[in-house]
């Protein structure tokens, strides 16, 4: 082990747990050996030392499943490569279902995993017992079996990774605490430690549950909070078979695996509590929290039914340790907002060991290649909303993350803690209209509207939701009359300055150097032609543009724009989301509703599609933009916050006789999917190009000066894409898909749905999905010609494919 810190290194990794060690090892394997890893105490002394060692692939998103697949293949070779044991064994995992709904959840999960090529079998309860004979299965309806899952020893694996990194030239320092991070402008330049500072081109925050505090040293928000997390190890059980599959018994909030000559029974139970939310004690190392049998006892007692042997077996170890959880239950992996070359890899929600080898290898590729090898919008540190590092918020919300970890994950499920945080200026008005609110990054948003007297409380199912008919009525109102959406949570950026046009032109694939009053739909691309953002840009005046983004993408879009303002260029980017409410008035009757309320001429001649004007409305003024995300005639009204209530009430009062209805986000999703409008982070992301995504119409190939990503895109145009985003409609009108369902063409797996919803006009589920062709340049007709099936809950449902929107393919309605 090195003793003297170097004055500089290409990469400084802070944190010697599994994540930091894996990143170091994989950077070295990529040939980057000018790497320093510093650990305040001993390697593994944070959380890693006490990980139970489960390696399970059933993760909630495609990207995070791909990371575990990488982990598994690293586990296969690590011992051979480094000479250090990892304790890795492929034992498989059983997931148990105790009722039809849990069974449906598992079957849907099985299908999603198959979309990533993961092997999974559906078993009867008896077949599950054959694999794990000690199990009580009489109350079960089925089980999933993942034969390729495994288990390993977290400490040994981490030491193998760190020593392996050392063998390749990485310098590893224990007993060195990072005390600060130095930034120069928007770039990280050094890490300070008690033993001096180290200049660095790249810094990795792999400090586990210290991630929030360490992030704050650089002004980077990393929302995570440690919770108490438990397992119990039994005494030896005579005759116990070694190498049993791990059992995940979600109905019992528990998992079980062999541990020595006994069993380990671990818990993801409701009612845990935050630890050290006001600051982790200075002396925290190999931390064990006090036993709390009063809390854990009932869960353990309950497990005796599932594993009767526990009743006659003593307990050798009752362990409780802290582990960091995040508000949305997803870890943070990627570059930080506002600070170049500072990467976050923290907040692993008790799956850090199984994700660690893969996450470290992805991060190493990301740093070396400049982009992630896997699209991971869900782990992007730029998704963080401003309130998410608030201690009181974190204590509440993160506790709920653990509470619900082993509950059934329903479609449209809402969190219940720390609600009511970010409210539109129209919150009270929409509430009075019957809004059932859902939450997105703290925003309370009307998902659907209940008729008078009806409860808006959530009630979940995998089938048709209890709000189906109300949302259908909202959808129909938009298609046949007019709907009013409160879309105030959409992100709004004002881009101003003498160079605003230059910056936006460089960043946008479409031509935004238009006349004031024009609105342009565009993607912002990276140098590989991948889509970093999907926005509209409205030119307000010569030096002023308004960028409209999603509530969940505003942080990353702001970051992307700011980092592309060149030295000496004069352009300011300001988030003005809360300065304006936004009301979308959509439907064939929109003009008839709005025209009497304004002196401006709203005819297509005076106010064509794709234009924007400031107009009077009621007694106030709004910016009206003729654009649509639902495929109908309509205007998005950007309303200064102080006029919002007045404008809303004026519209509502005038709506009588036009069929006006308040409409929510569930209807919006159904409407946009019928029109095959894309959503960034769901359907499109950083590794998808506009040509693949069917957005070639928004590329201004010949605009002066070009745009970022043009060269890569031009090369792809030459070859032709090898995959495309396709719209699907299910043949069976009762089948319901949501997202992540695998797509088969002629019986061969070709992709998966990226989003889906019931389309009330088409009368069936409609979705968007990626389809990979046999080779680049495959004819468009190939994509629609095949026989398609979508796998839903382990059953294949025939589907129709189209590259043109199934609803209003000629896009006549928005222009009417
Ligand atoms: C009871 C329990 C069971 C678990 N079981 C599993 C399991 O079966 N499977 C699984 O995948 N996961 C499991 N986990 C979770 C897993 O242990 C963690 O997700 C994982 O170890 C996190 O690794 P890390 O590298 O992010 O963090 P850590 O291991 O905590 O590493 C971070 C390191 O950073 C160091 N550090 C912090 N600040 C500084 C600083 N300023 N300067 C220098 N160094 C610093 C710390 O000392 C620490 O060593 C379990 C967790 C618990 C509590």
């Amino acid at each position: 082990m090195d003793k003297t810190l170097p004055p500089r290194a290409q990469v400084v990794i802070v944190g010697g747990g599994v994540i930091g060690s894996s990143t170091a090892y994989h950077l070295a394997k990529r040939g980057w050996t000018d790497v320093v890893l510093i650990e305040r105490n001993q390697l593994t002394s944070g959380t890693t030392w006490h990980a139970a060692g489960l390696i399970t692939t059933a993760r909630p998103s495609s990207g995070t499943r791909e990371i575990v697949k990488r982990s598994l293949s690293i586990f296969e070779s690590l011992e051979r490569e480094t000479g250090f044991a990892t304790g890795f064994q492929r034992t498989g995992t059983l997931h148990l279902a105790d009722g039809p709904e849990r069974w449906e959840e598992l079957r849907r999960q099985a299908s999603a995993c198959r979309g990533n090529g993961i092997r999974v079998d559906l078993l009867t309860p008896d077949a599950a017992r054959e694999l794990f004979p000690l199990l009580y299965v009489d109350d079960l309806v089925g089980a999933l079996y993942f034969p390729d899952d495994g288990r390993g020893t977290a400490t040994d694996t981490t030491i193998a990774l760190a020593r392996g990194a050392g063998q390749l030239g990485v310098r590893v320092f224990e007993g060195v605490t990072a005390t600060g991070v130095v930034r120069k402008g928007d770039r990280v330049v050094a890490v300070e430690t008690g033993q001096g500072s180290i200049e660095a081109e790249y810094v990795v925050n792999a400090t586990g549950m210290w991630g929030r505090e360490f992030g704050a040293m650089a002004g980077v928000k990393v929302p995570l909070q440690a919770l108490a997390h438990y397992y119990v190890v039994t005494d030896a059980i005579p005759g116990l078979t070694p190498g049993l599959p791990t059992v995940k018994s979600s109905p019992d909030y528990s998992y079980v695996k062999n541990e020595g000559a006994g069993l380990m029974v671990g818990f993801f139970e409701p009612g845990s509590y935050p630890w050290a939310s006001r600051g982790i004690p200075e002396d925290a190392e190999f931390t064990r929290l006090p036993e709390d049998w009063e809390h854990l006892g009932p869960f353990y007692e309950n497990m005796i039914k599932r594993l009767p042997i526990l009743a006659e077996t003593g307990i050798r170890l009752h362990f409780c340790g802290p582990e960091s959880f995040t508000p949305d239950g997803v870890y943070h992996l990627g570059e930080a907002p506002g600070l170049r070359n500072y990467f976050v890899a923290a907040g692993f929600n008790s799956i850090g060991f199984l994700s660690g080898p893969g996450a470290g290898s992805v991060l190493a590729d990301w740093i070396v290649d400049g982009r992630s090898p896997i699209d991971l919008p869900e782990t992007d540190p730029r998704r963080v909303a401003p309130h998410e590092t608030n201690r009181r918020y974190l204590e509440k919300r993160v506790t709920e993350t653990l509470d619900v970890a082993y509950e059934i994950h329903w479609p449209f499920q809402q969190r219940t803690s720390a609600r009511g945080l970010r409210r539109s200026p129209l919150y009270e008005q929409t509430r009075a209209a019957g809004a059932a609110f859902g939450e997105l990054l703290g925003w309370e948003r009307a998902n659907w509207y209940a008729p008078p007297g009806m409860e808006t409380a959530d009630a979940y199912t995998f089938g048709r939701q209890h709000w189906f008919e109300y949302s259908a009525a909202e959808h129909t109102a938009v298609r046949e009359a007019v709907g009013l959406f409160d879309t105030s949570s959409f992100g709004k950026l004002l881009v101003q300055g003498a160079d605003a046009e230059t910056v936006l032109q460089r960043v946008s694939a479409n031509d935004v150097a238009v006349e004031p009053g024009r609105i342009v739909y565009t993607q912002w691309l990276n140098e590989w032609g991948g889509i970093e953002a999907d926005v509209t840009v409205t030119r307000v005046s010569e030096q002023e543009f308004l960028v409209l983004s999603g509530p969940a993408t505003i942080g990353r879009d702001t970051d992307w724009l700011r980092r592309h303002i060149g030295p000496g260029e004069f352009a300011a980017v300001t988030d003005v989301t809360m300065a304006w409410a936004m009301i979308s008035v959509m439907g064939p009757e929109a003009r008839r509703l709005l025209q009497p309320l304004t002196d401006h001429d709203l005819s297509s001649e005076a106010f064509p599609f794709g234009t924007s004007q400031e107009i009077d409305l009621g007694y106030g003024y709004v910016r009206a933009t003729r654009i649509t995300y639902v495929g109908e005639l309509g205007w998005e009204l950007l309303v200064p916050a102080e006029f919002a209530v007045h404008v809303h009430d004026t519209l509502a009062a005038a709506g009588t006789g036009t069929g006006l209805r308040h409409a929510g986000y569930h209807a919006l999703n159904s409407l946009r999917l019928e029109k095959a409008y894309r959503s960034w982070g769901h359907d499109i992301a950083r590794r998808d190009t506009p040509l693949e995504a069917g957005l070639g119409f928004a590329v201004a190939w010949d605009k002066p000066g070009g745009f970022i990503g043009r060269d890569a895109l031009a090369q792809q145009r030459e070859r032709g894409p090898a995959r495309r985003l396709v719209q699907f409609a299910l043949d069976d009108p009762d089948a319901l898909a949501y997202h992540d369902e695998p797509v088969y063409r002629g019986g061969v797996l070709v992709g998966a749905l990226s989003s889906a919803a019931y389309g009330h006009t088409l009368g069936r589920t409609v979705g968007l999905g990626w389809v990979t062709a046999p080779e680049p340049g495959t004819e468009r007709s190939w994509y629609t010609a095949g026989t398609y099936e979508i796998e839903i809950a382990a059953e294949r449902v025939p589907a129709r494919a189209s590259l043109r929107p199934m609803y209003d393919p000629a896009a006549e309605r928005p222009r009417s």
Side-chain angles (χ1 to χ4, degrees):
M1 201 76 56
D2 273 334
K3 292 268 184 287
T4 316
L5 285 183
R8 73 164 309 283
Q10 197 171 8
V11 185
V12 174
I13 299 167
V14 183
V18 64
I19 308 295
S21 303
S22 173
T23 308
Y25 179 66
H26 289 98
L27 278 169
K29 280 188 72 171
R30 290 292 310 267
W32 281 36
T33 53
D34 184 13
V35 174
V36 165
L37 186 156
I38 56 174
E39 162 54 47
R40 62 191 282 276
N41 190 264
Q42 284 176 45
L43 294 172
T44 78
S45 64
T47 302
T48 298
W49 71 282
H50 55 227
L54 275 48
I55 307 166
T56 51
T57 31
R59 300 289 131 221
S61 69
S62 177
T64 53
R65 289 192 289 273
E66 286 299 323
I67 282 185
V68 189
K69 279 171 63 186
R70 275 192 176 220
S71 286
L72 280 166
S73 80
I74 293 162
F75 278 115
E76 279 290 349
S77 57
L78 189 60
E79 186 164 338
R80 193 171 3 98
E81 285 174 10
T82 62
F84 290 93
T86 61
F88 177 63
Q89 269 182 292
R90 282 208 196 253
T91 50
T93 308
L94 281 167
H95 294 241
L96 310 183
D98 64 340
E101 289 175 321
R102 178 86 64 178
W103 187 221
E104 170 140 11
E105 181 196 26
L106 290 190
R107 284 181 289 127
R108 284 181 179 267
Q109 196 169 49
S111 294
C113 288
R114 285 178 182 157
N116 293 79
I118 294 166
R119 290 198 302 156
V120 48
D121 302 320
L122 272 58
L123 303 185
T124 62
D126 286 343
R129 190 174 41 205
E130 273 176 34
L131 290 171
F132 201 117
L134 297 173
L135 278 183
Y136 173 78
V137 298
D138 291 1
D139 62 336
L140 299 183
V141 296
L144 297 186
Y145 178 54
F146 291 82
D148 297 324
D149 283 3
R151 70 173 67 129
T153 311
T155 309
D156 292 348
T157 302
T158 305
I159 297 298
L161 289 161
R163 296 275 183 272
Q167 288 166 351
L168 296 170
V170 170
R171 285 158 293 172
V172 177
F173 296 88
E174 291 178 304
V176 176
T177 304
T179 52
V181 171
V182 186
R183 46 188 301 164
K184 199 168 177 188
D186 67 351
R187 198 172 277 277
V188 68
V189 292
V191 172
E192 289 170 337
T193 78
Q195 282 99 308
S197 79
I198 314 171
E199 279 180 31
E201 251 176 74
Y202 295 86
V203 171
V204 177
N205 174 354
T207 56
M209 65 183 172
W210 290 262
R212 174 159 57 108
E213 293 174 14
F214 182 66
M217 291 179 197
V220 173
K221 290 192 170 204
V222 185
L224 55 81
Q225 168 60 48
L227 301 179
H229 195 38
Y230 302 85
Y231 55 69
V232 164
V233 179
T234 72
D235 288 337
I237 298 175
L240 183 68
T241 313
L244 289 167
T246 298
V247 175
K248 181 177 169 189
S249 186
S250 301
D252 305 305
Y253 302 105
S254 294
Y255 61 85
V256 185
K257 67 183 262 281
N258 293 87
E259 185 71 17
L263 290 173
M264 173 187 282
V265 185
F267 298 89
F268 280 75
E269 81 293 355
S272 187
Y273 57 88
W275 178 71
S277 60
R278 289 175 188 270
I280 297 170
E282 196 59 33
D283 60 356
E285 60 190 79
F286 298 108
T287 304
R288 272 188 76 166
L289 303 180
E291 292 180 18
D292 184 356
W293 196 246
E294 207 174 309
H295 166 67
L296 201 64
F299 296 102
Y300 191 78
E301 297 291 322
N302 183 53
M303 265 308 273
I304 294 176
K305 184 175 136 218
R306 180 72 54 221
L307 269 180
I309 190 91
L310 295 180
E312 53 202 74
T313 308
I315 291 176
R316 176 163 69 83
L317 173 70
H318 176 171
F319 184 83
C320 180
E323 161 68 347
S324 50
F325 289 82
T326 60
D328 60 4
V330 183
Y331 49 84
H332 288 249
L333 185 68
E335 202 174 7
L339 189 54
R340 284 182 200 224
N341 292 2
Y342 181 104
F343 284 80
V344 181
F348 273 83
N349 297 285
S350 211
I351 57 162
F353 167 61
L354 64 90
S355 311
S361 89
V362 164
L363 194 47
D365 287 348
W366 199 328
I367 290 170
V368 173
D369 300 331
R371 68 166 176 164
S372 169
I374 303 172
D375 244 331
L376 289 164
E378 65 275 40
T379 74
D380 192 341
R382 288 177 283 185
R383 74 187 187 275
V384 173
H387 63 276
E388 287 190 299
T389 44
N390 175 297
R391 177 183 59 77
R392 282 172 296 278
Y393 169 82
L394 276 176
E395 283 183 354
K396 283 276 183 240
R397 177 52 65 88
V398 163
T399 307
E400 192 187 1
T401 298
L402 182 50
D403 285 353
V404 300
Y406 273 24
E407 298 283 3
I408 294 176
H409 297 95
W410 301 103
F412 312 106
Q413 191 166 1
Q414 295 296 319
R415 291 296 191 90
T416 55
S417 63
R419 290 289 300 266
L421 197 54
R422 301 172 90 185
R423 300 181 191 202
S424 140
L426 299 173
Y427 177 80
E428 290 302 337
Q429 282 62 37
T430 52
R431 196 166 69 91
F437 291 101
E439 187 237 31
L440 181 64
L441 287 165
W443 283 104
E444 294 292 336
R445 310 186 328 149
N447 275 342
W448 59 281
Y449 286 83
M454 187 191 169
E455 269 290 308
T456 56
D458 291 314
Y460 299 120
T461 168
F462 286 99
R464 286 193 177 185
Q465 308 295 317
H466 67 300
W467 42 259
F468 184 88
E469 61 175 297
Y470 309 110
S471 193
E474 296 163 23
H475 175 118
T476 307
V478 175
R479 288 276 182 257
E480 295 176 3
V482 55
L484 185 161
F485 297 89
D486 176 11
T487 41
S488 301
S489 62
F490 273 69
K492 303 152 203 119
L493 294 178
L494 205 53
V495 188
Q496 294 166 295
D499 298 312
E501 180 189 297
T502 311
V503 172
L504 281 167
Q505 270 297 67
R506 183 163 61 236
V507 165
S508 303
N510 212 340
D511 188 356
V512 298
V514 290
E515 292 298 306
R518 285 278 312 282
I519 172 165
V520 179
Y521 173 52
T522 185
Q523 283 70 48
W524 295 347
L525 309 184
N526 53 41
E527 61 182 288
W528 298 273
I531 302 171
E532 293 283 342
D534 181 64
V535 296
T536 60
V537 177
T538 303
R539 183 163 211 158
V540 177
S541 66
E542 198 51 39
Q543 296 191 4
E544 193 178 12
F545 294 80
L546 191 61
V547 174
L548 211 65
S549 158
T553 46
I554 181 77
R556 44 167 304 114
D557 294 352
T558 309
D559 185 63
W560 186 260
L561 201 51
R562 286 196 177 135
R563 64 166 63 200
H564 286 96
I565 300 173
E569 282 181 333
F570 187 73
V573 180
T574 314
D575 182 347
V576 292
T577 301
M578 270 312 283
W580 280 312
M582 191 162 126
I583 303 175
S584 301
V585 181
M586 295 287 152
E589 296 289 335
R591 186 178 285 118
R592 196 155 74 84
L593 168 67
L594 289 169
Q595 188 61 84
L597 307 177
T598 177
D599 295 340
H600 271 69
D601 182 354
L602 300 183
S603 67
S604 273
E605 295 70 41
F607 205 143
F609 186 78
T611 62
S612 173
Q613 300 177 29
E614 191 181 84
I615 64 169
D616 60 290
L617 201 148
Y619 303 132
Y621 282 93
V622 304
R623 169 160 288 283
T625 299
R626 189 144 169 225
I627 192 86
T628 180
Y629 197 46
V630 297
E632 301 294 342
L633 169 72
W635 280 264
E636 287 178 351
L637 306 178
L638 277 166
V639 190
E642 65 273 28
F643 292 142
V645 171
H646 166 72
V647 169
H648 170 275
D649 291 352
T650 304
L651 290 167
T656 326
T658 61
L660 176 71
R661 226 182 147 115
H662 282 86
Y665 278 90
H666 292 327
L668 188 77
N669 202 34
S670 163
L671 291 156
R672 72 108 184 157
L673 279 164
E674 287 186 336
K675 273 296 293 173
Y677 290 145
R678 281 75 169 135
S679 166
W680 197 95
H682 297 106
D683 310 308
I684 48 175
R686 284 190 272 207
R687 293 188 68 87
D688 309 317
T689 73
L691 298 179
E692 295 165 343
L695 297 170
F697 66 88
V699 177
W701 292 99
D702 301 324
K703 70 177 180 177
F707 54 88
I708 297 168
R710 189 190 180 285
D711 292 349
L713 208 58
Q715 281 172 23
Q716 189 179 61
R717 183 168 59 162
E718 204 63 30
R719 294 189 304 272
R723 55 200 283 273
R724 284 184 189 273
L725 192 60
V726 177
Q727 191 187 28
F728 291 99
L730 301 183
D731 284 2
D732 178 354
D734 293 324
L736 296 172
Y738 300 107
H739 72 106
D740 243 6
E741 290 83 0
V743 175
Y744 298 84
R745 184 183 179 280
V748 178
L749 179 68
V750 287
L753 294 188
S754 47
S755 53
Y758 191 87
H760 296 283
T761 306
L762 297 175
R764 59 199 61 252
T765 291
V766 56
L768 290 165
W770 284 97
V771 173
T772 301
E775 57 189 2
T778 298
E779 287 295 316
R780 283 171 63 89
S781 56
W782 180 89
Y783 289 89
T784 48
T787 313
Y788 280 98
E789 290 167 309
I790 312 283
E791 184 179 322
I792 301 173
E795 282 180 15
R796 295 195 190 175
V797 180
R800 184 164 64 89
S802 176
L803 287 171
R804 300 188 76 203
M806 292 181 190
Y807 178 76
D808 188 23
E812 284 162 1
R813 294 179 68 87
R815 290 176 167 76
S816 60

